[in-house]
Amino acid sequence: MEIGIIGGGGVAQTFGAALRGLGHTVTLGIRNATLAELDKPRQGGVPLAEWQQKTGGKVASMADAAKATLLVNATQGEHSIAALTSAGADNLAGKVLIDLANALDYTRGFPPALNQAYSGHTSLGEQIQGAFPQTRVVKAFNTIAAAVMVNPGLIKGDHDLFIAGNDAAAKAEVTDLARALGWSTVLDMGDITAARGTESLLPFWLTLMRAGGPIVNLHVQR
Ligand SMILES: NC(=O)c1ccc[n+]([C@@H]2O[C@H](COP(=O)([O-])OP(=O)(O)OC[C@H]3O[C@@H](n4cnc5c(N)ncnc54)[C@H](OP(=O)(O)O)[C@@H]3O)[C@@H](O)[C@H]2O)c1
């Protein structure tokens, strides 16, 4: 499948490399896809020229990446709607968009809080769905570290991937992709408003991470 990941940071690189490993065609989309930009160091990842060489993936503009069949939002949450707007609503229309982003407020340093513009009686996932009504948004993968997103076996025992979205067929497609990445437990939390809950896990996840490192996840038992 052709997969376009909007974003070129550490998460986009890790997710994209894993999808390349599964045999997909992957294009990362960034704002300024010049040769000079591709050579720059990237926090949490490698220069994008090196990523291309190592993975066989491509780097292009956000609009070019969004021409793929299945899309992933891996941008900073507070800039996601701007990034997806520059990717082009027409390119996004009708497609599944996995939204793995979180909108965090670092104005008081680390650990960040939830960004109030995207929390409470709303969420980033809902705002993206509202801004792009023709797009089939599935909130997923935002509650775990990038290394775990693509390798759940890093954590022993049962642990869960939470997904949310309005379109059942889109969620089934994302579930299949997650299974291919090794996820055995994918919990459908409901429509896109359930992103309020999964995005709200972030402060707790950061607490867990500070207590014992980022290779950690939750498992729900009833
Ligand atoms: N770190 C984790 O393990 C983890 C786990 C779960 C979820 N997440 C979420 O995954 C997302 C990506 O994380 P990351 O660490 O890879 O992020 P990042 O490197 O800080 O940024 C990702 C992308 O955001 C784009 N961006 C930044 N400012 C922008 C703006 N003003 N307009 C348009 N685009 C802008 C950048 O585009 P350019 O390339 O053009 O600069 C960049 O490629 C975040 O939402 C994060 O919360 C992270």
Side-chain angles (χ1 to χ4, degrees):
M1 196 188 323
E2 285 188 8
I3 300 180
I5 302 181
I6 312 304
V11 176
Q13 291 187 21
T14 301
F15 209 70
L19 295 174
R20 283 288 304 137
L22 293 175
H24 298 293
T25 300
V26 177
T27 305
L28 306 188
I30 60 171
R31 283 172 289 177
N32 179 26
T34 59
L35 288 178
E37 182 70 22
L38 265 53
D39 280 334
K40 284 188 187 162
R42 290 247 160 193
Q43 203 180 351
V46 297
L48 288 166
E50 187 181 329
W51 182 86
Q52 291 188 126
Q53 209 167 33
K54 278 185 177 161
T55 65
K58 288 182 279 184
V59 180
S61 67
M62 290 180 170
D64 280 343
K67 290 182 180 136
T69 314
L70 184 139
L71 304 179
V72 180
N73 172 37
T75 59
Q76 292 177 9
E78 61 275 38
H79 300 302
S80 290
I81 290 176
L84 294 169
T85 300
S86 81
D90 287 350
N91 287 329
L92 271 58
K95 294 179 186 168
V96 174
L97 172 72
I98 300 174
D99 172 32
L100 57 72
N102 291 297
L104 301 175
D105 177 353
Y106 285 91
T107 54
R108 295 191 201 174
F110 193 90
L114 290 176
N115 186 315
Q116 287 187 10
Y118 300 93
S119 56
H121 295 289
T122 183
S123 61
L124 177 62
E126 285 169 89
Q127 292 198 27
I128 292 173
Q129 183 62 82
F132 303 97
Q134 306 301 319
T135 303
R136 303 151 71 205
V137 179
V138 179
K139 191 88 206 184
F141 296 103
N142 65 304
T143 57
I144 40 191
V148 177
M149 291 178 194
V150 300
N151 187 3
L154 286 176
I155 298 172
K156 302 293 166 228
D158 293 333
H159 59 105
D160 305 333
L161 180 69
F162 303 110
I163 67 169
N166 296 341
D167 185 313
K171 287 191 281 193
E173 211 174 306
V174 175
T175 300
D176 285 347
L177 189 76
R179 294 211 189 289
L181 288 167
W183 285 93
S184 51
T185 318
V186 180
L187 293 188
D188 183 347
M189 308 304 286
D191 68 26
I192 195 65
T193 61
R196 294 178 198 182
T198 59
E199 292 175 19
S200 295
L201 283 177
L202 259 291
F204 180 57
W205 184 89
L206 286 161
T207 308
L208 289 173
M209 189 270 279
R210 292 178 93 197
I215 307 304
V216 61
N217 193 16
L218 302 175
H219 175 51
V220 177
Q221 282 191 305
R222 293 193 168 88

